[in-house]
Amino acid sequence: MRIRVRGWRWRRNPLRRRSDVVEAWTVLVVTVLLFVVAPLVGVAAGLHAHDRARTLAVQQRAERHQVRAVVIGALPERRSALEEDRRHPYRAEVRWTEPGKGVRTAWARVPAGARAGEPVSVWFDSRGRSVSPPPDEAAVWQRAVTVGLCAAGGTAIVVFLGHMIERRVALRHRLAEWEREWSRTGPRWTQPRM
C-alpha cells in the first residue's frame, strides 16, 4: 500500500533536497502559466486579431462594390467534383449596367452551379477586377477565435517544453547529488566488518 504525502517538498524535513524545492516551485509556476497566462495570451491575441480583421473588413467594404450581374458566355463544360460544390466559385463572363457608364462585361467569380442568364451578385475592386466579397462579422470572429486558440495553445506548448527541459536538468542535478552523497556514504557500507 502506497501512502502519498502531499506537500512534502514544501515542508522542512531531512530528506528534502534543494532540487526538490526547485521542482516544487517549478510546478507552481507552470500551473500559473498554464491556467492564467496562456488563456490571457489567447484572449489578448484574439482581441488584437479581431481589431485588425474588423479594420481590414471595413477597408475592403470601402474599396469594393457589389453589382448585380447576369451570367453570359460559356460556362466550364466539365466541372470537377470540387467545382460542383456550391461553396466553390468559378470564373465566368458577366454583364451588368452601371449608372452613368452603360453596359459593362467582365470575367468574375460566380457561385458554382450558376447558369447562363442567371442573375448573380459579384464584387469588384476600384480597378474593376473581380474580387471576393469582404469578410462578414462571422468571418472576423472566426479569425479572432482561431488566432486566440492558436496563441493559447502555442503558449501552453512552450510552457510544457520548458517544463520538460527543466525536469531533465533537475533529474541530472538530482542524480549528481545522489552520486556525491553515495561517494561519501558508500565506503562505510561496503567495507568489510570485523
mmCIF file with all atom_site columns, all heavy atoms in Angstrom, residues 60-73:
data_model
loop_
_atom_site.group_PDB
_atom_site.id
_atom_site.type_symbol
_atom_site.label_atom_id
_atom_site.label_alt_id
_atom_site.label_comp_id
_atom_site.label_asym_id
_atom_site.label_entity_id
_atom_site.label_seq_id
_atom_site.pdbx_PDB_ins_code
_atom_site.Cartn_x
_atom_site.Cartn_y
_atom_site.Cartn_z
_atom_site.occupancy
_atom_site.B_iso_or_equiv
_atom_site.pdbx_formal_charge
_atom_site.auth_seq_id
_atom_site.auth_comp_id
_atom_site.auth_asym_id
_atom_site.auth_atom_id
_atom_site.pdbx_PDB_model_num
ATOM 1   N N   . GLN A 1 60 ? -11.952 46.926 -46.797 1.00 0.00 ? 60 GLN A N   1
ATOM 2   C CA  . GLN A 1 60 ? -12.359 46.221 -48.011 1.00 0.00 ? 60 GLN A CA  1
ATOM 3   C C   . GLN A 1 60 ? -13.775 46.600 -48.436 1.00 0.00 ? 60 GLN A C   1
ATOM 4   O O   . GLN A 1 60 ? -14.052 46.709 -49.628 1.00 0.00 ? 60 GLN A O   1
ATOM 5   C CB  . GLN A 1 60 ? -12.260 44.704 -47.806 1.00 0.00 ? 60 GLN A CB  1
ATOM 6   C CG  . GLN A 1 60 ? -10.846 44.203 -47.807 1.00 0.00 ? 60 GLN A CG  1
ATOM 7   C CD  . GLN A 1 60 ? -10.776 42.692 -47.622 1.00 0.00 ? 60 GLN A CD  1
ATOM 8   O OE1 . GLN A 1 60 ? -11.791 42.027 -47.411 1.00 0.00 ? 60 GLN A OE1 1
ATOM 9   N NE2 . GLN A 1 60 ? -9.575  42.154 -47.719 1.00 0.00 ? 60 GLN A NE2 1
ATOM 10  N N   . ARG A 1 61 ? -14.667 46.823 -47.472 1.00 0.00 ? 61 ARG A N   1
ATOM 11  C CA  . ARG A 1 61 ? -16.025 47.251 -47.828 1.00 0.00 ? 61 ARG A CA  1
ATOM 12  C C   . ARG A 1 61 ? -16.001 48.622 -48.495 1.00 0.00 ? 61 ARG A C   1
ATOM 13  O O   . ARG A 1 61 ? -16.823 48.901 -49.369 1.00 0.00 ? 61 ARG A O   1
ATOM 14  C CB  . ARG A 1 61 ? -16.916 47.278 -46.589 1.00 0.00 ? 61 ARG A CB  1
ATOM 15  C CG  . ARG A 1 61 ? -17.396 45.927 -46.181 1.00 0.00 ? 61 ARG A CG  1
ATOM 16  C CD  . ARG A 1 61 ? -18.450 45.989 -45.076 1.00 0.00 ? 61 ARG A CD  1
ATOM 17  N NE  . ARG A 1 61 ? -18.452 44.721 -44.375 1.00 0.00 ? 61 ARG A NE  1
ATOM 18  C CZ  . ARG A 1 61 ? -17.986 44.531 -43.150 1.00 0.00 ? 61 ARG A CZ  1
ATOM 19  N NH1 . ARG A 1 61 ? -17.499 45.535 -42.462 1.00 0.00 ? 61 ARG A NH1 1
ATOM 20  N NH2 . ARG A 1 61 ? -18.016 43.339 -42.603 1.00 0.00 ? 61 ARG A NH2 1
ATOM 21  N N   . ALA A 1 62 ? -15.061 49.473 -48.073 1.00 0.00 ? 62 ALA A N   1
ATOM 22  C CA  . ALA A 1 62 ? -14.960 50.799 -48.682 1.00 0.00 ? 62 ALA A CA  1
ATOM 23  C C   . ALA A 1 62 ? -14.361 50.727 -50.082 1.00 0.00 ? 62 ALA A C   1
ATOM 24  O O   . ALA A 1 62 ? -14.720 51.524 -50.954 1.00 0.00 ? 62 ALA A O   1
ATOM 25  C CB  . ALA A 1 62 ? -14.106 51.714 -47.802 1.00 0.00 ? 62 ALA A CB  1
ATOM 26  N N   . GLU A 1 63 ? -13.439 49.787 -50.321 1.00 0.00 ? 63 GLU A N   1
ATOM 27  C CA  . GLU A 1 63 ? -12.755 49.690 -51.607 1.00 0.00 ? 63 GLU A CA  1
ATOM 28  C C   . GLU A 1 63 ? -13.523 48.858 -52.631 1.00 0.00 ? 63 GLU A C   1
ATOM 29  O O   . GLU A 1 63 ? -13.302 49.001 -53.823 1.00 0.00 ? 63 GLU A O   1
ATOM 30  C CB  . GLU A 1 63 ? -11.374 49.044 -51.426 1.00 0.00 ? 63 GLU A CB  1
ATOM 31  C CG  . GLU A 1 63 ? -10.410 49.886 -50.644 1.00 0.00 ? 63 GLU A CG  1
ATOM 32  C CD  . GLU A 1 63 ? -9.121  49.132 -50.327 1.00 0.00 ? 63 GLU A CD  1
ATOM 33  O OE1 . GLU A 1 63 ? -9.067  47.912 -50.587 1.00 0.00 ? 63 GLU A OE1 1
ATOM 34  O OE2 . GLU A 1 63 ? -8.198  49.776 -49.821 1.00 0.00 ? 63 GLU A OE2 1
ATOM 35  N N   . ARG A 1 64 ? -14.382 47.974 -52.186 1.00 0.00 ? 64 ARG A N   1
ATOM 36  C CA  . ARG A 1 64 ? -15.068 47.051 -53.091 1.00 0.00 ? 64 ARG A CA  1
ATOM 37  C C   . ARG A 1 64 ? -16.538 47.415 -53.207 1.00 0.00 ? 64 ARG A C   1
ATOM 38  O O   . ARG A 1 64 ? -17.122 47.995 -52.302 1.00 0.00 ? 64 ARG A O   1
ATOM 39  C CB  . ARG A 1 64 ? -14.938 45.614 -52.569 1.00 0.00 ? 64 ARG A CB  1
ATOM 40  C CG  . ARG A 1 64 ? -13.507 45.179 -52.490 1.00 0.00 ? 64 ARG A CG  1
ATOM 41  C CD  . ARG A 1 64 ? -13.361 43.845 -51.840 1.00 0.00 ? 64 ARG A CD  1
ATOM 42  N NE  . ARG A 1 64 ? -11.945 43.500 -51.759 1.00 0.00 ? 64 ARG A NE  1
ATOM 43  C CZ  . ARG A 1 64 ? -11.483 42.336 -51.367 1.00 0.00 ? 64 ARG A CZ  1
ATOM 44  N NH1 . ARG A 1 64 ? -12.324 41.383 -51.031 1.00 0.00 ? 64 ARG A NH1 1
ATOM 45  N NH2 . ARG A 1 64 ? -10.187 42.112 -51.328 1.00 0.00 ? 64 ARG A NH2 1
ATOM 46  N N   . HIS A 1 65 ? -17.113 47.062 -54.325 1.00 0.00 ? 65 HIS A N   1
ATOM 47  C CA  . HIS A 1 65 ? -18.537 47.289 -54.511 1.00 0.00 ? 65 HIS A CA  1
ATOM 48  C C   . HIS A 1 65 ? -19.174 46.056 -55.144 1.00 0.00 ? 65 HIS A C   1
ATOM 49  O O   . HIS A 1 65 ? -18.555 45.348 -55.923 1.00 0.00 ? 65 HIS A O   1
ATOM 50  C CB  . HIS A 1 65 ? -18.806 48.549 -55.342 1.00 0.00 ? 65 HIS A CB  1
ATOM 51  C CG  . HIS A 1 65 ? -18.265 48.480 -56.726 1.00 0.00 ? 65 HIS A CG  1
ATOM 52  N ND1 . HIS A 1 65 ? -16.933 48.687 -57.018 1.00 0.00 ? 65 HIS A ND1 1
ATOM 53  C CD2 . HIS A 1 65 ? -18.876 48.225 -57.912 1.00 0.00 ? 65 HIS A CD2 1
ATOM 54  C CE1 . HIS A 1 65 ? -16.744 48.560 -58.324 1.00 0.00 ? 65 HIS A CE1 1
ATOM 55  N NE2 . HIS A 1 65 ? -17.902 48.281 -58.890 1.00 0.00 ? 65 HIS A NE2 1
ATOM 56  N N   . GLN A 1 66 ? -20.415 45.854 -54.776 1.00 0.00 ? 66 GLN A N   1
ATOM 57  C CA  . GLN A 1 66 ? -21.163 44.697 -55.261 1.00 0.00 ? 66 GLN A CA  1
ATOM 58  C C   . GLN A 1 66 ? -22.087 45.144 -56.379 1.00 0.00 ? 66 GLN A C   1
ATOM 59  O O   . GLN A 1 66 ? -22.699 46.214 -56.301 1.00 0.00 ? 66 GLN A O   1
ATOM 60  C CB  . GLN A 1 66 ? -21.976 44.097 -54.119 1.00 0.00 ? 66 GLN A CB  1
ATOM 61  C CG  . GLN A 1 66 ? -22.761 42.876 -54.501 1.00 0.00 ? 66 GLN A CG  1
ATOM 62  C CD  . GLN A 1 66 ? -23.565 42.332 -53.330 1.00 0.00 ? 66 GLN A CD  1
ATOM 63  O OE1 . GLN A 1 66 ? -23.790 43.022 -52.349 1.00 0.00 ? 66 GLN A OE1 1
ATOM 64  N NE2 . GLN A 1 66 ? -24.012 41.098 -53.444 1.00 0.00 ? 66 GLN A NE2 1
ATOM 65  N N   . VAL A 1 67 ? -22.152 44.336 -57.422 1.00 0.00 ? 67 VAL A N   1
ATOM 66  C CA  . VAL A 1 67 ? -23.089 44.611 -58.507 1.00 0.00 ? 67 VAL A CA  1
ATOM 67  C C   . VAL A 1 67 ? -23.932 43.366 -58.765 1.00 0.00 ? 67 VAL A C   1
ATOM 68  O O   . VAL A 1 67 ? -23.496 42.246 -58.514 1.00 0.00 ? 67 VAL A O   1
ATOM 69  C CB  . VAL A 1 67 ? -22.362 45.045 -59.812 1.00 0.00 ? 67 VAL A CB  1
ATOM 70  C CG1 . VAL A 1 67 ? -21.618 46.345 -59.608 1.00 0.00 ? 67 VAL A CG1 1
ATOM 71  C CG2 . VAL A 1 67 ? -21.438 43.977 -60.317 1.00 0.00 ? 67 VAL A CG2 1
ATOM 72  N N   . ARG A 1 68 ? -25.106 43.619 -59.263 1.00 0.00 ? 68 ARG A N   1
ATOM 73  C CA  . ARG A 1 68 ? -25.997 42.525 -59.650 1.00 0.00 ? 68 ARG A CA  1
ATOM 74  C C   . ARG A 1 68 ? -25.813 42.348 -61.147 1.00 0.00 ? 68 ARG A C   1
ATOM 75  O O   . ARG A 1 68 ? -26.086 43.243 -61.927 1.00 0.00 ? 68 ARG A O   1
ATOM 76  C CB  . ARG A 1 68 ? -27.428 42.922 -59.309 1.00 0.00 ? 68 ARG A CB  1
ATOM 77  C CG  . ARG A 1 68 ? -28.374 41.799 -59.290 1.00 0.00 ? 68 ARG A CG  1
ATOM 78  C CD  . ARG A 1 68 ? -28.215 41.014 -57.993 1.00 0.00 ? 68 ARG A CD  1
ATOM 79  N NE  . ARG A 1 68 ? -29.211 39.940 -58.025 1.00 0.00 ? 68 ARG A NE  1
ATOM 80  C CZ  . ARG A 1 68 ? -28.985 38.748 -57.591 1.00 0.00 ? 68 ARG A CZ  1
ATOM 81  N NH1 . ARG A 1 68 ? -27.835 38.450 -57.052 1.00 0.00 ? 68 ARG A NH1 1
ATOM 82  N NH2 . ARG A 1 68 ? -29.918 37.842 -57.648 1.00 0.00 ? 68 ARG A NH2 1
ATOM 83  N N   . ALA A 1 69 ? -25.304 41.190 -61.530 1.00 0.00 ? 69 ALA A N   1
ATOM 84  C CA  . ALA A 1 69 ? -24.971 40.938 -62.933 1.00 0.00 ? 69 ALA A CA  1
ATOM 85  C C   . ALA A 1 69 ? -25.676 39.688 -63.409 1.00 0.00 ? 69 ALA A C   1
ATOM 86  O O   . ALA A 1 69 ? -26.212 38.908 -62.617 1.00 0.00 ? 69 ALA A O   1
ATOM 87  C CB  . ALA A 1 69 ? -23.463 40.788 -63.088 1.00 0.00 ? 69 ALA A CB  1
ATOM 88  N N   . VAL A 1 70 ? -25.644 39.503 -64.725 1.00 0.00 ? 70 VAL A N   1
ATOM 89  C CA  . VAL A 1 70 ? -26.223 38.319 -65.350 1.00 0.00 ? 70 VAL A CA  1
ATOM 90  C C   . VAL A 1 70 ? -25.087 37.531 -65.977 1.00 0.00 ? 70 VAL A C   1
ATOM 91  O O   . VAL A 1 70 ? -24.214 38.096 -66.645 1.00 0.00 ? 70 VAL A O   1
ATOM 92  C CB  . VAL A 1 70 ? -27.250 38.721 -66.429 1.00 0.00 ? 70 VAL A CB  1
ATOM 93  C CG1 . VAL A 1 70 ? -27.775 37.489 -67.154 1.00 0.00 ? 70 VAL A CG1 1
ATOM 94  C CG2 . VAL A 1 70 ? -28.379 39.510 -65.809 1.00 0.00 ? 70 VAL A CG2 1
ATOM 95  N N   . VAL A 1 71 ? -25.087 36.230 -65.742 1.00 0.00 ? 71 VAL A N   1
ATOM 96  C CA  . VAL A 1 71 ? -24.047 35.367 -66.299 1.00 0.00 ? 71 VAL A CA  1
ATOM 97  C C   . VAL A 1 71 ? -24.285 35.244 -67.798 1.00 0.00 ? 71 VAL A C   1
ATOM 98  O O   . VAL A 1 71 ? -25.385 34.950 -68.249 1.00 0.00 ? 71 VAL A O   1
ATOM 99  C CB  . VAL A 1 71 ? -24.073 33.969 -65.636 1.00 0.00 ? 71 VAL A CB  1
ATOM 100 C CG1 . VAL A 1 71 ? -23.045 33.053 -66.272 1.00 0.00 ? 71 VAL A CG1 1
ATOM 101 C CG2 . VAL A 1 71 ? -23.853 34.086 -64.146 1.00 0.00 ? 71 VAL A CG2 1
ATOM 102 N N   . ILE A 1 72 ? -23.231 35.509 -68.563 1.00 0.00 ? 72 ILE A N   1
ATOM 103 C CA  . ILE A 1 72 ? -23.280 35.310 -70.013 1.00 0.00 ? 72 ILE A CA  1
ATOM 104 C C   . ILE A 1 72 ? -22.083 34.465 -70.388 1.00 0.00 ? 72 ILE A C   1
ATOM 105 O O   . ILE A 1 72 ? -21.268 34.126 -69.545 1.00 0.00 ? 72 ILE A O   1
ATOM 106 C CB  . ILE A 1 72 ? -23.245 36.660 -70.781 1.00 0.00 ? 72 ILE A CB  1
ATOM 107 C CG1 . ILE A 1 72 ? -21.955 37.415 -70.468 1.00 0.00 ? 72 ILE A CG1 1
ATOM 108 C CG2 . ILE A 1 72 ? -24.461 37.493 -70.456 1.00 0.00 ? 72 ILE A CG2 1
ATOM 109 C CD1 . ILE A 1 72 ? -21.734 38.633 -71.325 1.00 0.00 ? 72 ILE A CD1 1
ATOM 110 N N   . GLY A 1 73 ? -21.944 34.135 -71.599 1.00 0.00 ? 73 GLY A N   1
ATOM 111 C CA  . GLY A 1 73 ? -20.771 33.382 -72.019 1.00 0.00 ? 73 GLY A CA  1
ATOM 112 C C   . GLY A 1 73 ? -20.850 31.939 -71.579 1.00 0.00 ? 73 GLY A C   1
ATOM 113 O O   . GLY A 1 73 ? -21.730 31.511 -70.838 1.00 0.00 ? 73 GLY A O   1
#
